[in-house]
Amino acid sequence: MFLQELQLFNFKNYAEANLQFENSVNCFLGKNGSGKTNLLDAMHYLSFTKGAINPSDSQNIKLGENQFIIKGSFNILGKQKEVICSYQQGQKKIVKEDGQDYLKFSEHVGKYPLVLIAPQDIELIWDGSEVRRKFFDSLLSQIDHGYLEDLIIYATYLKQRNSALKLFAERGSIDQDLLASYNGKIITSAKRIFSKRREFLKEFLPVFQQHCKDLTDSKDEEMNIQYRSDLEGNDFEVLLDKNLSRDVMLQRTTTGIHRDDFLFLLNNNEVKRFGSQGQQKSFLIGLKLAEFQCITEKKKFKPMLLLDDIFDKLDDNRIGKLMKLVAEGTFGQLFITDARPTRCIELFKEIKLKAGLLNIENGAFLK
């Protein structure tokens, strides 16, 4: 997959921009706050129909304006495709492919896959289970449309069930028919989500572990991921019935796949507690490289890879390992941001690879 052209109108700090990409590797260079990451965020919109940084569409409009437009021209396996994402204040967001509006944005996710490696990825290590679920949900949604549909169904009826629980608590009585209708929907989708998460991790884990080994060159570090779920060894319907009184009292559903976690382990201990900064970084890069490989294998083409300001966060050894993969042609189209232009230029000189260089200053492109 190759992004050939990116056009922006009133998106973040860009009043108007029109960029053509001819190289497989492209570097956006400039000081922090110049707008480098905003270009990557625009690409994220074209892939996921939403931003990676701020989920609020209205806050991604250029200050003082009332709408934004993002347009991308792609070549996928020899076919020309055009994606437009637009939002106007007070109206619904519109996403189009080749001039046709999507009725459901979920139909678009996975068609133009990308992998983003960014400084905020450290939240996968440090934060709670929701962030780790989101990582695997995003990955699975790009390669399995049915999985995404089940997630949407589960989230919709879980929200309705929680509203009903609040109503039951206020009334002091339970509407069993209403409860059964919600339970039926979430039970069916939850079982499929649980099964797919568990089976996918079996495929993902060895790929991830191999990337970690390649990054560290250490035989004493065993990186592992364990999946924890309320549904493991339990009938979900029985769990819901068993926890009903507690659910009504707390006015929320206290069991289900929305509480699942993926434990990140180093030598059987939590990597966030027992891993050094270097080990945590290796774990994160291993996750993202495994994500890239899994998407490539499932889609039969390489997704875009976005590297946002990661050279400041990695030591020379890990940067060298990553650049070796770039030189070997492991990735497809690659977009990199760097606040230190000379470093980026030197890195590509070392591996003798021609990269497209774009200097940015306050939303303007310098020649």
Side-chain angles (χ1 to χ4, degrees):
M1 185 177 80
F2 200 93
L3 176 62
Q4 298 171 316
E5 186 176 11
L6 178 66
Q7 294 176 268
L8 306 178
F9 178 72
N10 289 338
F11 182 71
K12 295 196 168 183
N13 70 327
Y14 291 98
E16 200 165 347
N18 191 333
L19 304 175
Q20 282 86 34
F21 305 110
E22 298 176 353
N23 297 291
S24 293
V25 179
N26 302 273
C27 304
F28 302 140
L29 310 173
K31 296 178 181 178
N32 291 330
S34 60
K36 305 184 302 295
T37 298
N38 292 344
L39 295 177
L40 302 189
D41 207 33
M43 296 175 194
H44 195 278
Y45 257 101
L46 295 176
S47 178
F48 289 97
T49 76
K50 60 184 179 181
I53 302 166
N54 190 340
S56 172
D57 295 316
S58 61
Q59 292 178 22
N60 290 324
I61 300 173
K62 191 176 189 298
L63 197 63
E65 303 296 338
N66 67 354
Q67 67 169 331
F68 72 72
I69 302 172
I70 305 168
K71 179 179 176 182
S73 299
F74 295 85
N75 185 298
I76 301 182
L77 300 175
K79 294 182 179 180
Q80 295 296 129
K81 308 293 287 185
E82 181 184 84
V83 178
I84 298 175
C85 182
S86 61
Y87 174 76
Q88 186 164 341
Q89 200 77 261
Q91 298 185 20
K92 288 185 177 181
K93 179 166 54 183
I94 298 172
V95 180
K96 297 182 179 183
E97 182 188 44
D98 294 337
Q100 296 294 315
D101 289 21
Y102 281 101
L103 297 178
K104 296 194 297 182
F105 294 159
S106 61
E107 295 174 353
H108 179 75
V109 176
K111 286 187 175 183
Y112 302 83
L114 66 75
V115 174
L116 170 65
I117 304 180
Q120 62 266 28
D121 289 337
I122 195 62
E123 295 172 1
L124 286 166
I125 300 284
W126 292 349
D127 284 10
S129 59
E130 182 179 357
V131 180
R132 291 182 287 280
R133 282 196 308 274
K134 185 179 178 181
F135 169 75
F136 283 100
D137 285 344
S138 175
L139 199 173
L140 276 161
S141 294
Q142 291 195 83
I143 60 178
D144 185 342
H145 184 71
Y147 181 86
L148 177 57
E149 289 297 321
D150 277 326
L151 277 181
I152 294 169
I153 291 169
Y154 184 87
T156 300
Y157 286 96
L158 178 68
K159 184 178 180 180
Q160 292 182 11
R161 186 181 195 270
N162 288 341
S163 296
L165 290 170
K166 184 178 181 181
L167 185 64
F168 299 160
E170 291 170 353
R171 290 180 175 177
S173 61
I174 298 172
D175 184 334
Q176 293 291 349
D177 291 337
L178 181 62
L179 185 66
S181 67
Y182 295 149
N183 285 359
K185 292 288 187 180
I186 67 172
I187 288 170
T188 302
S189 55
K191 286 180 177 179
R192 286 197 292 258
I193 291 168
F194 166 69
S195 176
K196 287 182 177 181
R197 283 177 179 172
R198 183 176 57 185
E199 292 307 308
F200 176 73
L201 187 58
K202 292 177 183 177
E203 298 177 28
F204 183 84
L205 188 57
V207 177
F208 159 74
Q209 290 174 327
Q210 185 58 56
H211 282 297
C212 287
K213 287 179 182 177
D214 293 342
L215 285 166
T216 60
D217 287 330
S218 174
K219 297 180 180 178
D220 300 324
E221 297 180 4
E222 183 185 350
M223 306 286 193
N224 198 9
I225 304 171
Q226 290 183 2
Y227 175 42
R228 296 286 176 84
S229 177
D230 292 340
L231 273 65
E232 186 68 57
N234 294 302
D235 185 306
F236 190 28
E237 186 173 3
V238 173
L239 284 177
L240 288 173
D241 289 342
K242 182 180 177 181
N243 286 277
L244 180 56
S245 297
R246 185 182 178 209
D247 287 356
V248 172
M249 181 180 68
L250 296 176
Q251 300 179 26
R252 59 183 172 83
T253 305
T254 58
T255 185
I257 52 97
H258 60 286
R259 298 179 68 252
D260 288 0
D261 196 2
F262 294 85
L263 304 183
F264 291 170
L265 305 174
L266 170 65
N267 297 330
N268 293 320
N269 296 305
E270 284 188 281
V271 71
K272 71 176 177 181
R273 294 185 180 182
F274 295 92
S276 66
Q277 285 190 1
Q279 289 168 328
Q280 291 178 1
K281 288 171 184 175
S282 291
F283 201 103
L284 286 172
I285 299 297
L287 281 174
K288 294 292 183 165
L289 293 179
E291 178 185 9
F292 182 91
Q293 185 174 332
C294 286
I295 292 174
T296 299
E297 291 174 355
K298 296 290 184 182
K299 289 291 184 180
K300 307 303 180 187
F301 63 84
K302 296 175 181 178
M304 291 191 297
L305 179 62
L306 316 183
L307 306 182
D308 186 20
D309 194 29
I310 69 162
F311 292 146
D312 277 340
K313 314 299 178 184
L314 298 177
D315 56 43
D316 290 344
N317 181 53
R318 289 177 177 82
I319 290 175
K321 298 272 189 184
L322 201 55
M323 295 309 291
K324 183 174 181 288
L325 292 174
V326 174
E328 292 171 349
T330 301
F331 308 119
Q333 195 176 24
L334 178 62
F335 294 92
I336 300 171
T337 68
D338 196 352
R340 291 166 53 191
T342 53
R343 170 179 55 191
C344 199
I345 292 168
E346 286 302 316
L347 283 171
F348 284 102
K349 276 186 180 178
E350 287 176 16
I351 62 173
K352 298 177 181 177
L353 187 68
K354 182 181 179 182
L357 305 176
L358 186 63
N359 292 285
I360 305 170
E361 185 176 307
N362 296 324
F365 306 113
L366 308 179
K367 293 184 179 180

